[in-house]
Amino acid sequence: MGLGWMLLALSTSSEASSMRCGTSIVVEGDTMQQVLDKCGPPDSKEVWQPKLRVNGVPEKGAAKLEFWTYGPSGGVYRKLRFIDDRLVQVEMERK
């Protein structure tokens, strides 16, 4: 097995396009409200507001980012990234 494959196999985080919450599944593209309804509130949350101009209006192309973490559950943290209230990334991380 090549070195690249060995490093990939030893990786402790992985990308996923969906996540199970009890009997429900959230997928990329779901809204924050859909995720809250299916999974409940996250264990931790970080919010980055869009950069504003001097007049208080968001800069062109600026977006609100939110990073949610669920877990650990079974030693796995589930990390979700939202852009403007839409789920765009699900990552699983074992610690």
Side-chain angles (χ1 to χ4, degrees):
M1 184 183 331
L3 178 60
W5 286 108
M6 287 174 46
L7 291 174
L8 183 62
L10 294 174
S11 174
T12 59
S13 70
S14 64
E15 296 273 334
S17 60
S18 64
M19 177 177 88
R20 180 174 294 281
C21 291
T23 60
S24 299
I25 295 178
V26 296
V27 296
E28 290 176 2
D30 282 355
T31 65
M32 286 180 171
Q33 190 58 54
Q34 289 171 312
V35 175
L36 282 172
D37 291 345
K38 295 175 183 178
C39 302
D43 294 306
S44 68
K45 177 168 82 169
E46 184 178 348
V47 180
W48 294 3
Q49 294 296 335
K51 187 172 182 180
L52 302 178
R53 298 179 190 163
V54 177
N55 63 359
V57 175
E59 288 187 1
K60 184 176 181 177
K64 180 178 116 183
L65 302 175
E66 288 204 26
F67 303 90
W68 293 7
T69 302
Y70 290 91
S73 176
V76 175
Y77 289 89
R78 299 172 296 165
K79 297 183 175 190
L80 284 64
R81 182 169 57 113
F82 295 87
I83 297 178
D84 288 334
D85 299 330
R86 283 270 170 209
L87 181 61
V88 296
Q89 183 180 35
V90 178
E91 183 178 291
M92 310 293 186
E93 185 176 341
R94 186 170 297 279
K95 288 201 176 187

